[in-house]
């Protein structure tokens, strides 16, 4: 079945630095990938839709200059949290669809200290 | 905007029991509905996907039903096991790639 790989699984960074999270579709091509954020005991919230070769589409309230998304190839999308602050600490998950349902990555736990 | 509600929020059962998790959604114009499992601090694992034209799907001890017109879906787990302990999320797909999530049901199966 479809596999989505996400790295890193955990990252701790200092406030003010930037962090890049990678999402790869391993055995299929994904023209569209999705980035979600999840707060403790809360549901997943869609942040943005990543489109290969074009600009990402951000959900209302998500700062596009803070959460930079690049989808340079059909198998890789990256989310960069720029100038991270403690309130950016969260669980970030990506997903992609092979055409039948959605497959999710294993998530990235970001802690900003 | 689609709103998804899952009841109960948490459930604790002894091993071997059969159980039902409920999901309701406000916009019945869905393409399909997917049930996921999430272990603590982990990503999501897809369990079952029901197309809008289907009434149910089965996989092993899991059975998911869909009543699209009333905006409801249930996940039935037979003969629960401690390994089933996780948070279960339902997610209807509405419009172009709009996957909405409920807050989930946190299941604990006691050995």
């Amino acid at each position: 079945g479809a596999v989505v790989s996400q790295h890193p699984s955990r990252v701790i960074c200092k406030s003010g630095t930037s962090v890049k999270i990678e999402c790869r579709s391993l055995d299929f091509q994904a023209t569209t990938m999705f980035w979600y954020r999840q707060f403790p005991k809360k549901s997943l919230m869609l942040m943005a839709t990543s489109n290969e070769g074009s600009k990402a589409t951000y959900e209302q309230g998500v700062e596009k200059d803070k959460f930079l998304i690049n989808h340079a190839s059909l198998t890789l999308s990256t989310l960069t949290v720029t100038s991270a602050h403690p309130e950016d600490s969260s669980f970030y998950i990506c997903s992609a669809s092979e055409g039948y349902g959605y497959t999710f990555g294993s998530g990235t736990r970001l802690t900003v200290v | 905007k689609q709103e998804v509600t899952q009841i109960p929020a948490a459930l604790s059962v002894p091993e071997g029991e059969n159980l039902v998790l409920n999901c309701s959604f406000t916009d019945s114009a869905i393409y399909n509905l997917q049930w996921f499992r999430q272990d603590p601090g982990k990503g999501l694992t897809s369990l079952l996907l029901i197309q809008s034209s289907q009434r149910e799907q089965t996989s092993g001890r899991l059975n998911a039903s869909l009543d699209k017109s009333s905006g409801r879906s249930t996940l039935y787990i037979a003969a629960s096991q401690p390994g089933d302990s996780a948070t279960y999320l339902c997610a209807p797909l509405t419009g172009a790639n709009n996957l909405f999530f409920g807050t989930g049901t946190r299941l604990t199966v006691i050995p």
Side-chain angles (χ1 to χ4, degrees):
Chain A
V3 177
V4 173
S5 175
Q6 186 174 342
H7 293 280
S9 58
R10 289 179 178 273
V11 58
I12 300 173
C13 71
K14 291 185 177 180
S15 185
T17 62
S18 295
V19 174
K20 179 184 286 187
I21 303 170
E22 291 189 351
C23 181
R24 294 179 184 272
S25 56
L26 294 186
D27 48 2
F28 67 101
Q29 294 182 331
T31 55
T32 304
M33 292 186 176
F34 306 89
W35 288 96
Y36 293 82
R37 181 173 182 176
Q38 186 178 34
F39 293 100
K41 297 186 179 180
K42 299 292 184 182
S43 184
L44 280 76
M45 297 298 296
L46 179 65
M47 298 175 65
T49 301
S50 172
N51 304 300
E52 188 270 334
S54 64
K55 293 182 179 180
T57 304
Y58 290 82
E59 295 299 302
Q60 189 174 9
V62 178
E63 299 176 61
K64 60 182 179 181
D65 294 330
K66 178 158 195 63
F67 299 101
L68 299 179
I69 291 174
N70 183 277
H71 195 154
S73 76
L74 287 170
T75 59
L76 174 63
S77 175
T78 60
L79 169 68
T80 301
V81 183
T82 63
S83 187
H85 289 111
E87 57 264 32
D88 298 324
S89 297
S90 191
F91 191 60
Y92 295 86
I93 312 178
C94 68
S95 78
S97 177
E98 193 182 13
Y100 184 78
Y102 288 79
T103 301
F104 283 77
S106 54
T108 298
R109 170 71 60 192
L110 170 63
T111 303
V112 184
V113 298
Chain B
K1 182 182 176 182
Q2 178 77 278
E3 293 184 6
V4 182
T5 303
Q6 289 188 245
I7 295 173
L11 181 64
S12 184
V13 300
E15 181 176 4
E17 271 204 7
N18 303 323
L19 54 100
V20 176
L21 308 181
N22 297 292
C23 170
S24 62
F25 45 95
T26 55
D27 184 353
S28 62
I30 64 172
Y31 290 105
N32 58 49
L33 184 143
Q34 210 165 347
W35 279 92
F36 295 91
R37 166 186 174 142
Q38 186 177 29
D39 292 285
K42 303 293 184 182
L44 276 66
T45 301
S46 179
L47 299 174
L48 289 164
L49 182 148
I50 312 177
Q51 298 292 351
S52 61
S53 58
Q54 297 177 316
R55 298 284 294 182
E56 65 179 282
Q57 277 286 341
T58 299
S59 176
R61 294 182 294 109
L62 304 179
N63 176 277
S65 67
L66 174 64
D67 185 342
K68 180 183 169 183
S69 61
S70 67
R72 296 175 188 272
S73 178
T74 62
L75 178 66
Y76 175 82
I77 303 177
S80 59
Q81 302 172 357
D84 295 332
S85 298
T87 295
Y88 290 81
L89 299 161
C90 76
L93 178 64
T94 307
N97 298 323
N98 289 333
L99 196 64
F100 291 87
F101 285 89
T103 51
T105 294
R106 190 170 65 254
L107 172 66
T108 303
V109 180
I110 304 167

